[in-house]
Amino acid sequence: TSLINYQNSGNEILTYGDETYSGLIENPMVSPDQSSSVSFTVNTNLASYSNIRRFINMNNRVPPDAVRIEEMLNYFNFNYTEPGKNEDFRVSSGVYPCAWNNKHKLFFLGLSARKVDMQNVPPGNFVFLIDISGSMDLPNRLSLVKSGMRLLINNLRSIDTVSIVVYGKFVNIALEGVSGNQKDSLNKVIELLSAEGSTPGEAGLKLAYKVAKRRFISGGNNRIILASDGDFNVGVSTETELEELIEQQGETGIHLTCLGVGMGNYKDSKLSLLAQKGRGNFAYIDNEQEAAKVLVTELTQTLFTVAENVYLTVNFDTSIIKRFRLIGYDNKRNDLIDSLSNLAGGEIGSGHSLLAVFEIEPDPEISTPGPMAGLVIHYRLPGQPIAQERKYNCPVDCIQPSNTTTGFQKAINICMFGMKLKRSVYSDNIQWKYIEAKAKEIFNDKTPLDQQYLELLFKAMKIYGNKKYKGD
């Protein structure tokens, strides 16, 4: 049996105006003759959903390569179930009718990570790395970053240590090694930041890592938080060069969280790569509400890791499955690989749940009891060098639509929405009106997150239904 690995890393960069995105190849249907197994990196990245929202709210179509369906699903944190005592994860699975192909099924894998007890969270060594170059001198950039950082500072503790590194006209340490309870001092530095000059991102990153290493807390949460539009233009700046720069840091135990802002010259391709290679996570902040969501409401998921180097291997029973494809987790162009040697695992935050969705063609019709697939979770616990594995059997649990939980129904709707935005070859049978009708049935317009999704879908329908756009 061969093993196909889906991993986000590659070299082909696509532009949309002056914005850049890594070109993606949608995962195909795979037969057992090609492989009965698939491995893929998982993480708690959220950036794609809020970036999609930004385009649609500006009445623009979304670049297909900006659509990462797994990050759209991550945004909703569906069906969280607390793992059992002494367990790092809880796994659930289910098989459901496929909404766009009545001959196929949808196989869901749910993974819930344990929650960190905030009373016992280790001290943090946080280095804020803030882009103050001239390109950040707009309301939706530096001012939004400053607002987000103030929110984060409000949640720091006396045992946390904070440093602030800036890069723009100058690259320097604005503050180093200050206790998290010195909020006035921290806020004063943030308030005085102004944008001017070029974007020496390489120098900023090197200095931030130097400070993080100097202030390293053994057994603590050592993390650089980069806030930028990603438009590096001095020193190392290409995706390949940045990848080499971050990989030089090796096993430092320092994580890199990236917060993207801005539009027009926003470099999604660079920030997503930095977060991946820096063993961290990635969010895009398009407004103050999103800053509050990422840095306050979901602070533990954003900044506190419970498992790192995480990737999943799913082994399908070939007597039950004729073909399968993984929805989302798309490969960057020219990067479908056939060994585990280069598969970099992701980071899972406290209390996060994620879904992996497969479209499957059953053979024969799913009715036989017993496991349909085996799951292996590969991961490491923070600060521990030894890799761990957890194995699970995924039974054939066919659930009819009337019994499908609301969370899974919503996930199916989001998958269809994402497939239409990507102009997926598998979305030909999906009509916008069908997505709308189902969304109205299952999303609650009295709940802020659901209401926002419905509004986004309705706006997208108007944009994509406009005859002046071609290619739909």
Side-chain angles (χ1 to χ4, degrees):
T1 299
S2 63
L3 188 67
I4 295 177
N5 301 323
Y6 295 114
Q7 174 181 265
N8 289 334
S9 78
N11 298 317
E12 187 167 341
I13 306 303
L14 302 181
T15 61
Y16 182 86
D18 287 329
E19 299 191 12
T20 62
Y21 296 88
S22 297
L24 300 177
I25 294 290
E26 188 172 27
N27 296 325
M29 293 293 288
V30 177
S31 69
D33 291 339
Q34 297 169 286
S35 176
S36 61
S37 300
V38 57
S39 290
F40 54 100
T41 297
V42 295
N43 53 51
T44 52
N45 292 348
L46 311 173
S48 184
Y49 184 85
S50 48
N51 193 29
I52 287 168
R53 181 175 63 208
R54 185 251 301 188
F55 276 99
I56 292 175
N57 282 339
M58 294 181 67
N59 202 35
N60 289 326
R61 286 200 168 197
V62 183
D65 292 286
V67 180
R68 297 185 286 268
I69 294 176
E70 71 277 12
E71 294 183 20
M72 297 174 70
L73 293 170
N74 275 347
Y75 196 86
F76 288 81
N77 205 29
F78 285 123
N79 296 346
Y80 180 82
T81 306
E82 183 76 30
K85 188 177 181 181
N86 300 322
E87 289 290 327
D88 296 314
F89 302 100
R90 182 182 179 92
V91 173
S92 59
S93 62
V95 180
Y96 307 92
C98 179
W100 55 88
N101 187 332
N102 58 18
K103 295 181 180 179
H104 290 184
K105 304 285 186 183
L106 294 178
F107 171 51
F108 283 88
L109 274 176
L111 186 69
S112 297
R114 64 180 174 82
K115 290 182 179 178
V116 172
D117 181 355
M118 289 304 293
Q119 300 299 318
N120 299 316
V121 167
N125 163 33
F126 299 121
V127 179
F128 297 172
L129 176 56
I130 303 176
D131 180 353
I132 59 168
S133 64
S135 66
M136 293 288 286
D137 190 19
L138 287 170
N140 61 354
R141 301 189 191 190
L142 184 57
S143 62
L144 190 55
V145 168
K146 290 163 73 170
S147 175
M149 290 300 176
R150 284 192 292 265
L151 292 171
L152 177 54
I153 287 168
N154 287 339
N155 286 277
L156 296 176
R157 306 160 299 169
S158 60
I159 61 172
D160 297 323
T161 301
V162 182
S163 303
I164 300 174
V165 174
V166 297
Y167 64 94
K169 185 177 181 180
F170 304 102
V171 179
N172 65 357
I173 301 169
L175 205 63
E176 182 175 352
V178 172
S179 170
N181 66 356
Q182 296 185 33
K183 303 186 188 304
D184 289 343
S185 298
L186 291 166
N187 280 317
K188 183 181 241 182
V189 172
I190 295 295
E191 191 59 39
L192 290 174
L193 296 180
S194 60
E196 62 176 324
S198 55
T199 316
E202 175 193 10
L205 282 164
K206 286 182 174 178
L207 183 56
Y209 272 102
K210 185 177 181 179
V211 172
K213 290 174 184 176
R214 190 157 60 220
R215 295 289 171 176
F216 191 87
I217 300 174
S218 180
N221 181 10
N222 297 279
R223 186 176 300 269
I224 297 168
I225 303 166
L226 167 63
S228 173
D229 57 17
D231 191 15
F232 301 170
N233 57 28
V234 174
V236 163
S237 60
T238 70
E239 281 73 10
T240 301
E241 291 171 328
L242 289 169
E243 180 174 349
E244 292 172 354
L245 171 65
I246 297 302
E247 287 184 336
Q248 288 172 7
Q249 301 303 322
E251 296 291 329
T252 60
I254 298 167
H255 297 267
L256 176 61
T257 287
C258 293
L259 306 177
V261 294
M263 62 185 70
N265 67 331
Y266 170 61
K267 309 302 183 190
D268 182 276
S269 58
K270 290 183 172 66
L271 294 176
S272 60
L273 178 68
L274 287 172
Q276 179 199 348
K277 296 300 179 181
R279 303 179 183 276
N281 48 14
F282 177 34
Y284 177 82
I285 296 177
D286 57 334
N287 54 45
E288 291 192 3
Q289 290 75 25
E290 186 65 17
K293 180 178 187 289
V294 172
L295 297 173
V296 179
T297 309
E298 298 175 356
L299 178 68
T300 57
Q301 294 172 26
T302 305
L303 298 184
F304 296 100
T305 301
V306 295
E308 55 190 41
N309 291 355
V310 187
Y311 67 93
L312 308 183
T313 298
V314 180
N315 303 292
F316 285 102
D317 184 337
T318 56
S319 68
I320 296 176
I321 303 301
K322 188 175 180 181
R323 293 190 304 160
F324 67 88
R325 76 177 181 97
L326 177 60
I327 299 175
Y329 302 94
D330 295 324
N331 285 283
K332 294 185 180 178
R333 296 184 191 276
N334 304 322
D335 199 56
L336 191 63
I337 58 178
D338 60 2
S339 76
L340 289 176
S341 59
N342 295 318
L343 189 60
E347 177 186 65
I348 301 296
S350 166
H352 187 81
S353 66
L354 59 87
L355 283 177
V357 187
F358 291 85
E359 180 179 352
I360 58 176
E361 182 180 352
D363 184 22
E365 192 69 26
I366 299 175
S367 58
T368 312
M372 185 182 73
L375 170 67
V376 183
I377 306 174
H378 312 262
Y379 68 103
R380 283 190 336 200
L381 294 175
Q384 297 190 12
I386 301 174
Q388 301 196 38
E389 289 186 356
R390 292 290 182 270
K391 297 182 179 180
Y392 302 86
N393 284 326
C394 304
V396 181
D397 291 332
C398 285
I399 300 178
Q400 297 304 313
S402 59
N403 296 324
T404 305
T405 65
T406 301
F408 286 122
Q409 288 178 316
K410 290 178 178 179
I412 292 170
N413 200 268
I414 291 167
C415 285
M416 291 192 291
F417 185 27
M419 288 165 64
K420 291 298 283 184
L421 294 176
K422 286 183 71 68
R423 302 175 198 175
S424 165
V425 297
Y426 301 99
S427 68
D428 290 347
N429 294 330
I430 303 173
Q431 301 299 319
W432 282 105
K433 286 290 186 183
Y434 178 79
I435 303 176
E436 177 189 36
K438 289 296 181 182
K440 287 179 176 178
E441 291 177 8
I442 56 181
F443 285 87
N444 182 355
D445 62 6
K446 301 295 189 294
T447 304
L449 192 60
D450 282 16
Q451 181 186 34
Q452 179 193 101
Y453 175 78
L454 289 170
E455 290 174 355
L456 204 61
L457 175 59
F458 300 156
K459 289 178 182 178
M461 290 180 64
K462 292 180 180 178
I463 296 169
Y464 285 79
N466 193 326
K467 299 296 185 183
K468 73 179 180 180
Y469 290 105
K470 295 181 180 180
D472 201 37

